[in-house]
Amino acid sequence: MVDNNATLNLGEQSLDLPVLEGSCGPDVVDIRKLYAQTGNFTYDPGFTSTASCESALTFIDGEEGVLLHRGYPIGQLAESSSFMETSYLLLNGELPDQDTLNDFTHTITRHTMLHDQLRQFYQGFRRDAHPMAIMCGVVGALSAFYHDSTDISDPEHRKISSHRLIAKMPTIAAWAYKYSIGQPFLQPDNSLSYTGNFLRMTFGVPAEEYEVLPAVERAMDRIFILHADHEQNASTSTVRLAGSSGANPFACVAAGIACLWGPAHGGANEAALNMLQEIGTPDRIPEYIERAKDKNDPFRLMGFGHRVYKNYDPRATVMQKTVREVFEALNVTDPVFETALRLEELALSDDYFAEKKLFPNVDFYSGIILSAIGFPTTMFTALFALARTVGWVAQWNEMISDPGQKIGRPRQLYTGPTQRDYISLDKR
Ligand code: ACO
């Protein structure tokens, strides 16, 4: 880090603030001493200009549409890597050699089973519960199951918890689906790949052999890679904030799942497909574009826009390509895809979207693929949570291993009443 200084003038006071330089991306003005030296806070609701931590995992250049994990472009990882390899990379910083990858995959495979008592947690939910509600509950419940690895200051304990979370998420998500349709839970089959195993637990039944189609397995694995991490997004920041108090990692990830569920974040893939189905045919697109532009209408084009990407979301490019591959492998088409392509074309040629730099994000096309594979829309965000778990635990580990780590404690601009005396009930 090369340090410079910025000068802040506050009335009569002048303060030199260090400017820190990362390996890429904007420099940051270090304001940590601001309150102690001036008694002022900074104000940035929504964190539009605030770096909340130092991180070496993922870099995004939103203006250029760049996304790098440990330096590797997402397009290259999606094309040539596997979800297991990308997970290892995120957790450990370097790509593994073959033996290391085999060991890592073997370790994850050995943790895929759920404690048998966890079945009872599923029974506590209504059959029509949203899978994200079940995921939140079951992952939170895991915090009560593993008393052998609760010392978060021990790197080995953190590693075991991280591996358990990554390994068990497909079983948890698949069982949430099975529960909703009233089919028996399938135990993991450790002869299959991480992704093949997930597909079998989701779509297989005990009475029949389930054949994992390589093209679908590859597409699913790629979707997992595309969702693996995305620096300090809302759910990751939630996991970090929860973890900053020293909370149990399973509880922290349950908090991340809760945050991801919202329609402005991970819930957008479900909302995007619902929207495309509602639009139905390309001739109705202009009507929806007009609604999205109308400030008096709360409707937004779901799967469009991003806090950071002000150019194409590089994940959306891979997704669009993957739609075609999956359709070819399954020998299906979906008129919704034609509607999506046309909507993208019309929106991108519209001044409103151009001026506001609104482009399709990762969620715009993912729902079409997942729907073709056979997932109901309610499962989309659960799949996102499954894949993002590696990012959450990698970020959590990075935070806890930082010796300077402090509990996250934002301040506020108070606008409520000033101090006043309590008035007894009979005098009000
Ligand atoms: N449709 C129509 N207008 C939009 C859209 C959209 N999808 N997205 C943003 N805008 C407009 C806003 O109305 C606002 O207009 P204004 O400046 O005239 O008030 C302007 O663009 C900026 O929007 P903000 O909401 O202030 O931008 P922010 O960075 O806070 O929000 C967000 C980003 C939440 C992703 C937003 O674009 C959105 O709601 N998109 C739809 C939901 C979605 O697809 N979310 C998935 C994000 S990717 C992910 O989480 C994996």
Side-chain angles (χ1 to χ4, degrees):
M1 274 190 192
V2 180
D3 291 359
N4 277 315
N5 273 324
T7 307
L8 177 71
N9 294 316
L10 274 168
E12 301 286 282
Q13 263 182 318
S14 174
L15 184 69
D16 278 339
L17 297 167
V19 177
L20 311 179
E21 204 179 289
S23 48
C24 17
D27 296 348
V28 303
V29 182
D30 180 351
I31 51 130
R32 279 175 288 185
K33 299 253 160 44
L34 182 70
Y35 177 62
Q37 295 188 356
T38 69
N40 288 99
F41 297 144
T42 54
Y43 182 58
D44 185 18
F47 300 103
T48 50
S49 301
T50 297
S52 62
C53 63
E54 200 181 305
S55 180
L57 269 98
T58 294
F59 173 73
I60 301 174
D61 182 337
E63 300 300 326
E64 297 298 324
V66 170
L67 167 59
L68 310 175
H69 291 320
R70 302 284 192 183
Y72 296 101
I74 190 65
Q76 290 181 23
L77 293 172
E79 190 63 37
S80 312
S81 183
S82 65
F83 182 64
M84 276 297 93
E85 188 182 58
T86 302
S87 296
Y88 181 92
L89 172 70
L90 281 165
L91 288 168
N92 299 288
E94 294 299 334
L95 286 168
D97 60 26
Q98 190 63 59
D99 287 346
T100 312
L101 179 59
N102 293 346
D103 285 350
F104 177 71
T105 308
H106 179 70
T107 304
I108 297 297
T109 305
R110 281 183 47 244
H111 284 293
T112 48
M113 277 172 63
L114 296 186
H115 192 289
D116 206 48
Q117 257 179 287
L118 272 171
R119 285 170 175 272
Q120 334 251 319
F121 283 82
Y122 285 82
Q123 314 298 334
F125 285 93
R126 283 170 49 137
R127 289 273 177 198
D128 61 357
H130 196 286
M132 287 297 274
I134 301 182
M135 300 273 286
C136 250
V138 173
V139 173
L142 288 179
S143 55
F145 279 76
Y146 298 107
H147 301 306
D148 61 343
S149 53
T150 50
D151 180 3
I152 62 157
S153 65
D154 181 338
E156 200 50 36
H157 282 209
R158 291 204 301 275
K159 192 159 105 180
I160 295 170
S161 298
S162 304
H163 289 168
R164 281 187 172 132
L165 272 156
I166 297 166
K168 292 182 198 305
M169 223 32 123
T171 318
I172 294 170
W175 285 15
Y177 174 64
K178 285 298 192 202
Y179 185 71
S180 72
I181 55 169
Q183 286 187 1
F185 297 151
L186 257 59
Q187 292 297 340
D189 174 348
N190 289 348
S191 67
L192 297 174
S193 71
Y194 182 87
T195 303
N197 193 17
F198 171 64
L199 288 168
R200 183 188 149 274
M201 284 189 290
T202 306
F203 297 117
V205 285
E208 283 172 22
E209 272 299 302
Y210 176 77
E211 189 198 347
V212 180
L213 291 179
V216 172
E217 185 181 15
R218 179 75 197 114
M220 198 71 233
D221 202 71
R222 191 178 285 160
I223 289 175
F224 289 162
I225 295 173
L226 293 177
H227 287 94
D229 190 46
H230 212 227
E231 51 118 303
Q232 308 313 319
N233 58 86
S235 57
T236 301
S237 297
T238 301
V239 172
R240 277 188 178 256
L241 195 57
S244 75
S245 71
N248 178 289
F250 296 98
C252 296
V253 169
I257 294 171
C259 179
L260 186 75
W261 192 358
H265 193 9
N269 51 17
E270 186 177 338
L273 190 70
N274 289 338
M275 176 195 75
L276 289 168
Q277 284 167 342
E278 187 186 308
I279 296 175
T281 46
D283 58 299
R284 298 189 59 208
I285 293 171
E287 178 196 327
Y288 282 83
I289 289 191
E290 286 315 307
R291 281 189 61 196
K293 289 157 53 175
D294 181 356
K295 286 282 150 237
N296 298 317
D297 187 333
F299 175 77
R300 282 187 169 199
L301 282 191
M302 299 313 285
F304 250 78
H306 197 274
R307 169 59 63 78
V308 179
Y309 293 118
K310 299 303 170 195
N311 194 325
Y312 215 87
D313 179 343
R315 301 167 301 172
T317 318
V318 184
M319 279 295 180
Q320 202 206 72
K321 196 172 139 224
T322 310
V323 177
R324 294 183 204 282
E325 284 173 15
V326 169
F327 280 4
E328 206 172 297
L330 296 174
N331 200 15
V332 294
T333 52
D334 185 344
V336 161
F337 185 43
E338 297 312 316
T339 307
L341 288 172
R342 186 77 184 128
L343 175 58
E344 178 185 338
E345 192 185 330
L346 289 180
L348 295 187
S349 60
D350 190 294
D351 286 348
Y352 173 93
F353 294 91
E355 273 161 23
K356 295 189 188 302
K357 300 188 174 169
L358 301 171
F359 293 87
N361 59 50
V362 66
D363 293 323
F364 192 63
Y365 289 107
S366 64
I368 299 173
I369 305 174
L370 296 173
S371 175
I373 295 175
F375 292 100
T377 46
T378 50
M379 276 298 287
F380 294 178
T381 318
L383 302 179
F384 192 157
L386 182 170
R388 182 54 57 86
T389 296
V390 63
W392 289 333
V393 295
Q395 299 263 359
W396 170 80
N397 263 300
E398 184 181 59
M399 177 186 69
I400 304 285
S401 27
D402 177 354
Q405 186 256 323
K406 281 174 181 287
I407 186 168
R409 177 49 168 100
R411 302 307 297 261
Q412 63 173 4
L413 175 64
Y414 177 69
T415 55
T418 52
Q419 184 170 330
R420 48 185 170 166
D421 288 326
Y422 177 80
I423 304 164
S424 61
L425 198 52
D426 59 319
K427 299 223 173 70
R428 272 179 254 155

